Amino acid sequence: AIEAFCRLALVAMSLNLSLQCIGFCGVDDSVDPRLLAAVSQRYDWVEWGVLFRDDMQGKPRFATFEWLDDLNSINRSRFMKLAAHLCSKYITQLLNGDTTFVKFLRDTHGFRRFQLNATAANNVDSSSLGPTEAAALRKAAEELSDVEFIIQRNEETKALWEGLLSSVPPNVSFLFDESKGRGTVLTEYPPPPPQGVRFGYTGGLGPDNLKRQLELMASAGAGREIWVDMESSMRTRLADGGDVFDVAKAVRCVRAVIELGLKPEAA
């Protein structure tokens, strides 16, 4: 066992990469939250991402609020890492200075990270983004210092994140995502943001390519700590046409991370 641990440690050192967490987005009513809880209990560095879009709730990838209540009933001790991926009106509200929904998810369901998917694909008029919206996000970050706001950083959202670069709040981070949720696999990754700013990578990641992509991230990440996030590859199409979140695929990604030595196997 000691030899195996040493081998994994050497692999991790050779990658020059530190992994904060691995995120699986799109958990929904197709998966029993007790399965997610079982994974979290063993691997506390796994994060579950819930998409919030008012015109899509209840459809594949978008959990109902009833499902969220069930999740909450088994997460009273808040041992699960939860990220809210905000879309549509929830983005508009936040960037208009209304933090009510963020506070609701934090206080009633234990969400601690909030990703802003401020793109047209997520029903947001990205052409309206500018200094006013950046200032509103900065104010929200100051008001809610106990949560983290993640900006989906790409060319489309540049007017939002560029307005924060001069002095990024300590609880604002960047997710590099030129794929914009389309599942496009990258051949190289952008360099890190300024020191002190947390960041992650996404784009076409999944159980079949995660090891190789983490190696590419290590080349770009300059030894910094990152997180990774994935969505499309976590889906499985059933014979009856159903589209479900596949926990088995998530566990394969967990194993890939462990095999690279980036995280230890649970005792």
Side-chain angles (χ1 to χ4, degrees):
I2 295 176
E3 290 180 1
F5 177 81
C6 291
R7 281 199 304 272
L8 292 177
L10 286 172
V11 172
M13 290 174 61
S14 69
L15 280 182
N16 191 27
L17 182 68
S18 176
L19 191 65
Q20 173 189 344
C21 69
I22 180 170
F24 303 111
C25 181
V27 292
D28 57 15
D29 292 45
S30 69
V31 60
D32 193 311
R34 288 153 191 82
L35 288 174
L36 308 184
V39 174
S40 291
Q41 284 173 331
R42 188 169 179 84
Y43 308 107
D44 61 3
W45 38 272
V46 166
E47 180 179 77
W48 306 107
V50 182
L51 286 158
F52 291 93
R53 177 170 164 170
D54 52 302
D55 61 332
M56 296 290 284
Q57 248 35 75
K59 296 180 180 179
R61 306 191 191 200
F62 297 87
T64 62
F65 284 95
E66 290 77 13
W67 184 89
L68 281 171
D69 289 340
D70 191 24
L71 171 66
N72 195 42
S73 71
I74 59 174
N75 189 39
R76 296 294 185 188
S77 64
R78 302 297 186 241
F79 68 93
M80 300 176 72
K81 293 185 186 300
L82 301 177
H85 293 230
L86 306 179
C87 310
S88 194
K89 79 170 186 179
Y90 300 116
I91 292 282
T92 305
Q93 289 172 350
L94 179 61
L95 297 183
N96 281 337
D98 185 355
T99 58
T100 303
F101 189 63
V102 171
K103 291 176 181 175
F104 166 73
L105 292 178
R106 178 196 64 181
D107 296 341
T108 64
H109 290 82
F111 284 84
R112 282 295 178 268
R113 298 218 299 169
F114 295 83
Q115 181 171 312
L116 283 68
N117 296 338
T119 62
N122 293 292
N123 200 33
V124 175
D125 179 11
S126 54
S127 67
S128 67
L129 300 176
T132 300
E133 287 69 31
L137 180 56
R138 183 182 296 277
K139 183 178 179 181
E142 293 172 355
E143 176 190 351
L144 304 175
S145 59
D146 59 337
V147 303
E148 181 177 343
F149 292 97
I150 304 167
I151 301 178
Q152 189 184 41
R153 178 169 165 163
N154 50 51
E155 190 63 29
E156 188 177 350
T157 62
K158 186 175 182 179
L160 181 61
W161 55 263
E162 195 172 46
L164 297 170
L165 282 181
S166 60
S167 177
V168 181
N171 57 331
V172 170
S173 56
F174 296 143
L175 179 69
F176 287 98
D177 184 17
E178 281 301 338
S179 174
K180 303 176 188 176
R182 294 190 299 264
T184 305
V185 180
L186 303 182
T187 55
E188 60 181 358
Y189 290 87
Q195 281 289 344
V197 180
R198 289 187 293 271
F199 70 104
Y201 291 124
T202 189
L205 304 177
D208 294 329
N209 68 6
L210 185 56
K211 283 186 177 181
R212 173 56 183 155
Q213 295 306 114
L214 283 168
E215 292 171 355
L216 293 176
M217 293 174 200
S219 298
R224 299 269 297 275
E225 182 180 68
I226 68 167
W227 81 90
V228 297
D229 191 80
M230 60 200 77
E231 178 185 334
S232 300
S233 65
M234 292 298 102
R235 312 303 297 185
T236 290
R237 181 74 64 178
L238 302 180
D240 63 3
D243 176 18
V244 301
F245 182 89
D246 195 334
V247 180
K249 290 182 175 179
V251 172
R252 284 179 60 197
C253 293
V254 167
R255 290 191 62 178
V257 167
I258 293 170
E259 289 167 5
L260 282 174
L262 295 174
K263 290 292 184 182
E265 178 58 88

